Amino acid sequence: IRLQGYLKRQIDGLQKYQCHDGMWMQVLDKPSYEESSCTVLFAGAIAHAIVKGWIGPEYAPMALKAWDALKAKKIVDGKILSVCVGTGIRDDLKTYLTRPTSEEDAHGIGMTITTGLEIIALKNYLAGKNVLWTRPSFNSCSVEINSETELEGLSLEYKKAGTHLWNKVDIL
């Protein structure tokens, strides 16, 4: 219960920094750029927490708005745009504000797929249907999918081993 309270407070804090279109900025409380991987992570975590019953469904609009913004602006021709490249801990704000982005960053692709599955689960949950659940495996970059309902709109294409490019990322 105590951890759920912390989670709820964290999400409440994120809510005030969500951009009007649904994205979050690279640096949440500073003018920077809309960043895909943080938006993906926040949307997926919120959707997952709702389905698990850790927070209420009143938070669903945050996750769905973020997913819609990603689909509309950042998932283009199988690429995830505006993914900040890996960043170590730094002690100056300028480093974070000027981080470059990549269209081939593997953490952006993997988390986008996982979040897409979490959004499907959330939509099923909100509709009173059986819930899809996922168990991502970050070591092998695979996702186990279990569902008693049809996965409408789910489309994944495999990439050639050794490359970072996906031909298509079209989950919903």
Side-chain angles (χ1 to χ4, degrees):
I1 300 295
R2 191 172 185 180
L3 290 177
Q4 290 174 350
Y6 293 144
L7 175 66
K8 186 179 179 311
R9 282 198 341 226
Q10 183 78 20
I11 294 170
D12 287 340
L14 286 173
Q15 190 168 29
K16 66 183 173 185
Y17 293 111
Q18 190 173 26
C19 298
H20 71 278
D21 65 357
M23 298 290 293
W24 276 276
M25 302 299 273
Q26 162 69 357
V27 178
L28 292 178
D29 63 345
K30 302 283 185 229
S32 49
Y33 59 89
E34 292 182 338
E35 203 276 327
S36 295
S37 63
C38 72
T39 300
V40 163
L41 289 168
F42 296 153
I46 293 165
H48 186 81
I50 293 167
V51 171
K52 290 291 190 181
W54 301 335
I55 60 173
E58 66 272 15
Y59 291 96
M62 281 178 71
L64 297 171
K65 186 177 182 180
W67 184 250
D68 288 343
L70 286 161
K71 289 190 315 180
K73 299 172 68 174
K74 303 295 182 180
I75 302 174
V76 179
D77 295 329
K79 295 180 181 179
I80 315 302
L81 308 179
S82 300
V83 175
C84 177
V85 298
T87 306
I89 297 172
R90 307 293 167 97
D91 60 0
D92 68 297
L93 181 60
K94 184 178 178 183
T95 300
Y96 293 102
L97 293 172
T98 59
R99 293 299 298 154
T101 63
S102 172
E103 295 176 1
E104 300 178 12
D105 198 287
H107 82 270
I109 295 167
M111 287 311 304
T112 300
I113 292 170
T114 301
T115 292
L117 296 171
E118 294 291 356
I119 294 295
I120 292 171
L122 175 61
K123 288 181 176 182
N124 281 338
Y125 174 82
L126 295 173
K129 297 179 182 177
N130 291 325
V131 174
L132 157 89
W133 60 271
T134 63
R135 186 179 73 202
S137 170
F138 298 105
N139 292 334
S140 64
C141 296
S142 64
V143 176
E144 179 181 313
I145 303 169
N146 292 278
S147 178
E148 294 179 14
T149 60
E150 184 177 330
L151 300 178
E152 237 177 89
L154 179 66
S155 172
L156 300 175
E157 291 187 15
Y158 296 94
K159 67 180 182 71
K160 184 178 177 184
T163 69
H164 294 287
L165 295 176
W166 292 78
N167 294 325
K168 184 177 185 181
V169 176
D170 181 19
I171 296 176
L172 299 177

